[in-house]
Each structure stands twice: as C-alpha cells, then as structure tokens.
Amino acid sequence: MEAPYGLRKIEAKLIDSGFDVKTVYPDYIDRFNPKVIGIYVMDPFGWGPSSTTFAGILKTGEPYLAKYFRLLFESSSYKKAKQGGAKTIVGGPGVWQFKLNQEFMDKYGIDCVIDGEGEYGKVLEIFVDALKGEELPRFVNLKPWECPKLEEISEIKNPSINGLIEVGRGCPRGCKFCSVTLRPLRWYSYEKIEKELKINASAGITSGVIHAEDILLYGQKGIIPNEEKVLKLNRLAKMYYKTLSWSHASFAAVAAKPKLIEECSETICDENQSWWGAEMGIETGSVRLAKKIMPAKARPFKAEEWPEVVVQGAGIMKDNHLIPACTLITGLPEETDNDVIKTIELMDELKDFPSLIVPLFFVPMGKLKERDWFKKEQMNDLQKELLIKCLQHDIRWAKEIGKIYFSEGLRDQFIKPLYFLFIKIIEWQGKRQKVLVN
Ligand code: SF4
C-alpha cells in the first residue's frame, strides 16, 4: 500500500525509535486497537490557498478535502478507536489550520497538533507521553531551529504515494510569506536517496517525483545550480523510475542555467515520457512587490528583473518540455492595484506558455504570519480579472496537457474522459457564474 510521504517519514522514524507502528487505511483504524492515532494533513479544511481561490470565484460549497477529512472523524472506525482511549496526534504541512478551528479539535477529540518536522526528539517524547496516557499539549510549535539533523531523518520503509521521495529540506531564498525558508537547508546524499528509490521501485512503482523546494539547487548552499550534481540526481532517479517529475524548481535557476535544463530534458524525456512537471512560484509580476516580499527569488538576477526572469524561464521550459504548475499570490499585505495590474500584464506575456497558473489568496505564514488573511469578500475587480485570466489560461492548457498526459494504456483510456469531463464542468460552472465568456 502506498501512503503519503510525510506519513511514511514519521512511520520510519517511529519504527527506528522502537515504536510499534502501523499505517492503515482510515476505515480500519479500530481493528488495531491503537493507543495513539497519528494523522497527516495537507489541507484539512480546504483552506489551503489553491483550494479556496477557485472555490471563491466559482462559489462551490464545502471543499472536497474538508468534507472527506470530516468524514474520517465521523467514521465508526475512528469513533470506536477513540472509545478505546486512543489519543489523536495530528501533524503535516496543513496543521496551521487547526489554530483557526479549535472547535473541530474539541468536537473530534484531537489531543495534540504538531507544527514542525516530526523526526525532532521533542515529537518522539510526545508519542511516548501519549502511549502512557498522559495529557498532551494542545499545540506544539517547533521553532525553525528545532529540526532533525540529516542523520536523524530515517529513510522510508514502505512505498510512498506518487513514488515521491525527498532529496532535501529547506530553501535559501528567504521569501517573507514562506515558512520553509526559516528552517536550515539540508540535502540528502545520493545513497540516502537511492535507498528510498529502491523501496518504491521494489513495490512496483515505476513513476515518481523527487521532492525539494528547488531541485535545481540540489547539493548547493547558495542559489547557483551545480550541473553535475543535478544531472547525477536525475540519472539516479531515472534508473528506478520510468517516468520522473520534480516537485518544485525555480524560474531563476532555470533562467540562470538554460543548458542544464536542456541536459535534464535529455536525461528525463525518453521513450517513456515526453515532458516532465514541476511546481514553480511566480507569485507576482510587480517588481515593487517582489523587492519587498521576495528579494532573493530572482537571484542570481536582480529583483528588478523578476518579470523578465519569469518570461525567460518560461521560454526555456517550453523549448525543453518542462511543463510547470505555477502559483501567483494576490491579497499580499501592501499589494496595490498597480501591483495587480503588473501581474495581469505578466499573465498576458505568459499566455502561450504551456503551464497551469494557480492564483492563491494570501495566507499569513513565515515572517508575515501575524498579518491578516485575505478573504474572497475583499477581492476587487482587478483581482477578479487576474483570477479569471488564470482560469482561462488553465482551461486552455489543461486541455492541451491532457492530450499528452494520458497514455494509450487501458487505465488511462478510462480516466481520460473523466479528466476532460472535469474540465468541462469547470468551464460550465465558470460560464454559469459569468466569469468565463461563451
Ligand atoms: S523560493 Fe519557494 S520555498 Fe523558497 S522561500 Fe521562496 S516560497 Fe519558500
């Protein structure tokens, strides 16, 4: 069985620390009579920027993610396990949402929410206390420096969803709205990475994702990619996976090393895949805002060059079959109408760039965590125009990407019509809400 990578990571650390751990399908929790239930969350209430933004303009109801997360706690399996006295501990990148929904914790008996890297010693102590039946702290917020050293991070012991494996943690760019950047930068050795690749490959996984905040900075302390290290990493992953993608990379690193992207394309694209994907942050088209909130995002170029870096990076990616899913943020503190106009202008320049561009509402995190949330009710006409532009761009490119994404295999031939039906529904909903024209 494949499980989320974050869950596999904490499972591995607990096993290595002598705990008896089972990762189970939510409906089977009670069968194991657990003393502690550990739950991993990405976006438990559908408040993650990507869930809320399109839902905001399309006026859909309770987010899908929120509904199924709630149903987990309402399942007879969870209820029975709780009646048996199990403590519930929640971790994962979406835990910030619980601070704003403590009634949910009370309602469903969530004892402890941990924000930080789970391999840290303090987290293991909480699991020990939970096993002893002691009262747990409601919230544990690990400081940025309270994180495991490389050698304290266990390798996964069981396969991960999407064949995802991490190759490093942390990011040197220091964007103010991001919490990742506060933690130290650590890169895994090739040996450590290979052990995890082998776990997935031996479970029959042939398609996978290598994860870091910027794959192109693999092995580096700074912001200049090292060609040799990046190519070696990709060759290693391709030894185990027929098809490979990257979790994240940066426009700046792409623009800084076009030759490297060409070589990565030659390494990754073959008879099994004609393109590969990555998630990339554009965030804004405004130089003024970029200088304020993400001054190092463009490096080694100047922050003043940010929009050109994005356009140049887009051209390099298009030439080399790297199709990214990009993010934009609107509603950032101090964002002016002129900043939104600059982002809309950048969107115009990117209209022929094969990509998905997802607009996100500002969520207070990182150094901006004390600032106010941006709510959809605050959206002005310019911000709506930006969102609509993104939606139009995404519908056009989702159709194109769909044509090359699905193989001739039986499974894909079954899923393909559903994928196109999904796009049609979004299009229909967009027209109904009068945000898309016929
Ligand atoms: S580049 Fe990405 S991961 Fe790095 S600090 Fe900025 S937003 Fe965070």
Side-chain angles (χ1 to χ4, degrees):
M1 181 188 74
E2 295 163 29
Y5 184 80
L7 200 56
R8 287 295 184 215
K9 246 4 207 181
I10 190 75
E11 172 194 63
K13 184 66 189 178
L14 290 171
I15 291 172
D16 286 346
S17 306
F19 291 82
D20 178 14
V21 187
K22 296 215 166 28
T23 298
V24 301
Y25 187 71
D27 284 349
Y28 304 152
I29 301 171
D30 61 317
R31 294 188 191 176
F32 298 88
N33 200 17
K35 289 208 173 87
V36 182
I37 303 167
I39 298 174
Y40 171 84
V41 292
M42 288 285 286
D43 187 6
F45 305 121
W47 296 344
S50 54
S51 309
T52 46
T53 314
F54 280 140
I57 53 168
L58 295 176
K59 300 188 184 71
T60 53
E62 181 184 20
Y64 181 88
L65 291 171
K67 179 177 168 189
Y68 284 91
F69 187 63
R70 178 175 53 77
L71 290 179
L72 182 154
F73 291 93
E74 289 173 0
S75 68
S76 60
S77 156
Y78 177 79
K79 284 183 188 159
K80 275 190 212 153
K82 286 302 278 182
Q83 280 156 11
K87 299 262 185 199
T88 304
I89 300 177
V90 179
V95 291
W96 56 273
Q97 300 183 8
F98 287 93
K99 278 263 166 73
L100 302 152
N101 195 1
Q102 297 193 30
E103 312 81 67
F104 189 94
M105 293 176 67
D106 297 333
K107 185 168 179 191
Y108 295 110
I110 296 174
D111 298 278
C112 177
V113 171
I114 300 174
D115 187 358
E117 294 183 26
E119 295 93 346
Y120 192 62
K122 209 183 212 177
V123 176
L124 300 178
E125 285 165 21
I126 290 167
F127 275 90
V128 172
D129 290 347
L131 282 177
K132 288 188 205 152
E134 289 178 10
E135 193 165 332
L136 305 181
R138 201 161 158 80
F139 287 99
V140 177
N141 294 299
L142 297 179
K143 304 279 182 297
W145 58 89
E146 291 182 310
C147 56
K149 299 192 187 83
L150 269 181
E151 60 276 16
E152 291 169 330
I153 300 176
S154 296
E155 288 96 37
I156 58 167
K157 311 206 177 309
N158 293 298
S160 57
I161 287 178
N162 291 332
L164 186 136
I165 57 144
E166 196 170 48
V167 303
R169 290 185 188 177
C171 173
R173 293 195 187 271
C175 303
K176 285 198 181 144
F177 49 83
C178 175
S179 48
V180 170
T181 201
L182 302 172
R183 301 198 186 123
L185 185 60
R186 289 146 292 165
W187 294 110
Y188 298 174
S189 65
Y190 295 111
E191 293 72 33
K192 196 174 179 75
I193 294 167
E194 189 165 17
K195 279 187 196 161
E196 297 202 339
L197 286 166
K198 279 183 179 164
I199 292 285
N200 279 338
S202 59
I205 294 172
T206 56
S207 196
V209 179
I210 45 176
H211 176 278
E213 300 310 329
D214 190 345
I215 288 292
L216 289 165
L217 297 186
Y218 176 72
Q220 295 299 87
K221 287 267 174 263
I223 37 73
I224 310 280
N226 177 301
E227 287 88 341
E228 211 178 298
K229 289 179 187 171
V230 174
L231 288 173
K232 186 170 170 187
L233 172 69
N234 281 282
R235 286 193 198 110
L236 175 66
K238 275 298 270 195
M239 276 167 53
Y240 292 91
Y241 292 151
K242 279 188 184 163
T243 62
L244 178 67
S245 271
W246 299 345
S247 69
H248 301 83
S250 64
F251 278 88
V254 168
K257 296 278 179 180
K259 182 85 181 111
L260 172 59
I261 303 305
E262 208 180 303
E263 288 172 319
C264 285
S265 179
E266 283 161 15
T267 305
I268 296 170
C269 298
D270 54 14
E271 68 282 8
N272 298 308
Q273 70 183 110
S274 58
W275 63 284
W276 83 106
E279 197 181 308
M280 293 183 156
I282 298 174
E283 326 306 9
T284 179
S286 158
V287 165
R288 189 197 75 86
L289 202 53
K291 279 164 79 177
K292 263 187 181 305
I293 55 153
M294 46 182 220
K297 189 105 164 167
R299 284 177 63 202
F301 304 97
K302 294 195 193 99
E304 285 82 356
E305 298 173 281
W306 177 241
E308 292 89 68
V309 169
V310 172
V311 173
Q312 207 184 326
I316 296 165
M317 285 186 253
K318 185 175 180 181
D319 291 347
N320 291 289
H321 319 292
L322 170 52
I323 303 181
C326 306
T327 50
L328 290 176
I329 307 179
T330 192
L332 278 155
E334 299 165 48
E335 182 187 63
T336 63
D337 283 355
N338 201 39
D339 295 324
V340 183
I341 291 171
K342 294 284 175 209
T343 308
I344 291 173
E345 286 170 4
L346 181 60
M347 279 301 295
D348 287 335
E349 289 199 62
L350 296 176
K351 72 177 187 323
D352 293 325
F353 172 37
S355 57
L356 298 178
I357 301 182
V358 183
L360 312 174
F361 290 149
F362 170 70
V363 166
M365 286 199 222
K367 290 185 187 136
L368 301 179
K369 74 169 187 265
E370 306 303 334
R371 307 298 285 264
D372 284 339
W373 283 59
F374 183 83
K375 301 192 189 69
K376 64 175 192 269
E377 295 75 27
Q378 296 167 260
M379 240 192 314
N380 62 28
D381 286 346
L382 277 171
Q383 289 165 323
K384 276 186 196 149
E385 187 185 333
L386 175 63
L387 263 57
I388 291 167
K389 254 194 195 305
C390 292
L391 192 58
Q392 287 164 337
H393 178 97
D394 292 345
I395 287 176
R396 174 188 168 195
W397 285 106
K399 287 179 185 168
E400 293 302 317
I401 295 165
K403 287 180 200 159
I404 53 168
Y405 181 79
F406 296 101
S407 69
E408 295 306 312
L410 196 61
R411 186 174 156 270
D412 275 12
Q413 288 311 303
F414 177 71
I415 297 171
K416 194 172 172 180
L418 298 177
Y419 172 88
F420 282 100
L421 177 66
F422 179 65
I423 297 175
K424 272 263 161 260
I425 292 171
I426 294 176
E427 235 176 331
W428 172 78
Q429 183 79 349
K431 284 174 187 162
R432 212 168 67 102
Q433 303 288 345
K434 299 197 175 22
V435 296
L436 292 175
V437 284
N438 284 307

Short mmCIF file of all heavy atoms in Angstrom, two decimals, residues 171-175 177-178 180-181 213 283 297, ligand 1:
data_model
loop_
_atom_site.label_atom_id
_atom_site.label_comp_id
_atom_site.label_asym_id
_atom_site.label_seq_id
_atom_site.Cartn_x
_atom_site.Cartn_y
_atom_site.Cartn_z
N CYS A 171 15.14 26.00 2.14
CA CYS A 171 15.29 26.81 0.92
C CYS A 171 16.07 28.07 1.27
O CYS A 171 15.80 28.69 2.30
CB CYS A 171 13.91 27.17 0.38
SG CYS A 171 14.00 28.33 -1.00
N PRO A 172 17.04 28.46 0.44
CA PRO A 172 17.87 29.61 0.80
C PRO A 172 17.30 30.96 0.36
O PRO A 172 17.94 31.98 0.57
CB PRO A 172 19.17 29.32 0.06
CG PRO A 172 18.75 28.57 -1.17
CD PRO A 172 17.50 27.81 -0.80
N ARG A 173 16.11 30.99 -0.27
CA ARG A 173 15.70 32.26 -0.91
C ARG A 173 15.02 33.26 0.03
O ARG A 173 14.95 34.44 -0.28
CB ARG A 173 14.81 31.97 -2.12
CG ARG A 173 15.57 31.29 -3.24
CD ARG A 173 14.82 31.32 -4.55
NE ARG A 173 15.49 30.52 -5.55
CZ ARG A 173 16.43 30.98 -6.37
NH1 ARG A 173 16.83 32.23 -6.30
NH2 ARG A 173 16.99 30.18 -7.25
N GLY A 174 14.49 32.78 1.14
CA GLY A 174 14.03 33.72 2.17
C GLY A 174 12.79 34.54 1.86
O GLY A 174 12.66 35.66 2.37
N CYS A 175 11.85 34.03 1.07
CA CYS A 175 10.63 34.79 0.80
C CYS A 175 9.87 35.00 2.12
O CYS A 175 9.76 34.08 2.93
CB CYS A 175 9.73 34.05 -0.18
SG CYS A 175 10.55 33.68 -1.72
N PHE A 177 6.78 35.31 2.90
CA PHE A 177 5.47 34.68 3.14
C PHE A 177 5.61 33.17 3.31
O PHE A 177 4.61 32.46 3.32
CB PHE A 177 4.53 34.96 1.95
CG PHE A 177 5.18 34.67 0.61
CD1 PHE A 177 5.21 33.39 0.10
CD2 PHE A 177 5.81 35.69 -0.09
CE1 PHE A 177 5.84 33.12 -1.10
CE2 PHE A 177 6.43 35.43 -1.30
CZ PHE A 177 6.45 34.14 -1.81
N CYS A 178 6.82 32.66 3.43
CA CYS A 178 7.03 31.21 3.38
C CYS A 178 7.69 30.71 4.67
O CYS A 178 8.66 31.30 5.14
CB CYS A 178 7.90 30.89 2.17
SG CYS A 178 8.37 29.18 2.06
N VAL A 180 8.94 27.55 5.03
CA VAL A 180 10.02 26.58 4.71
C VAL A 180 11.38 27.22 4.89
O VAL A 180 12.33 26.65 5.42
CB VAL A 180 9.89 26.12 3.24
CG1 VAL A 180 11.11 25.33 2.80
CG2 VAL A 180 8.64 25.30 3.05
N THR A 181 11.46 28.46 4.45
CA THR A 181 12.74 29.14 4.37
C THR A 181 13.37 29.42 5.74
O THR A 181 14.54 29.69 5.84
CB THR A 181 12.52 30.44 3.57
OG1 THR A 181 13.74 30.88 3.07
CG2 THR A 181 11.86 31.52 4.40
N GLU A 213 12.53 21.95 -2.31
CA GLU A 213 11.92 23.25 -2.64
C GLU A 213 12.46 23.78 -3.97
O GLU A 213 11.82 24.58 -4.63
CB GLU A 213 12.16 24.26 -1.51
CG GLU A 213 11.59 23.85 -0.16
CD GLU A 213 10.14 23.41 -0.21
OE1 GLU A 213 9.38 23.91 -1.05
OE2 GLU A 213 9.77 22.54 0.61
N GLU A 283 4.31 34.16 -8.14
CA GLU A 283 3.80 34.99 -7.04
C GLU A 283 3.35 36.39 -7.47
O GLU A 283 2.25 36.80 -7.16
CB GLU A 283 4.78 35.11 -5.85
CG GLU A 283 5.64 33.89 -5.54
CD GLU A 283 4.90 32.58 -5.34
OE1 GLU A 283 3.69 32.51 -5.59
OE2 GLU A 283 5.56 31.59 -4.97
N LYS A 297 14.18 35.91 -4.66
CA LYS A 297 13.54 34.91 -5.53
C LYS A 297 14.16 34.94 -6.94
O LYS A 297 14.21 33.93 -7.62
CB LYS A 297 12.04 35.23 -5.62
CG LYS A 297 11.23 34.17 -6.31
CD LYS A 297 10.46 33.38 -5.33
CE LYS A 297 9.36 32.58 -5.95
NZ LYS A 297 8.83 31.59 -5.02
S1 SF4 B 1 11.55 30.11 -3.11
FE1 SF4 B 1 9.74 28.95 -2.52
S2 SF4 B 1 10.39 27.60 -0.84
FE2 SF4 B 1 11.98 29.16 -1.13
S3 SF4 B 1 11.48 30.74 0.37
FE3 SF4 B 1 10.52 31.35 -1.57
S4 SF4 B 1 8.43 30.46 -1.49
FE4 SF4 B 1 9.65 29.46 0.11
#
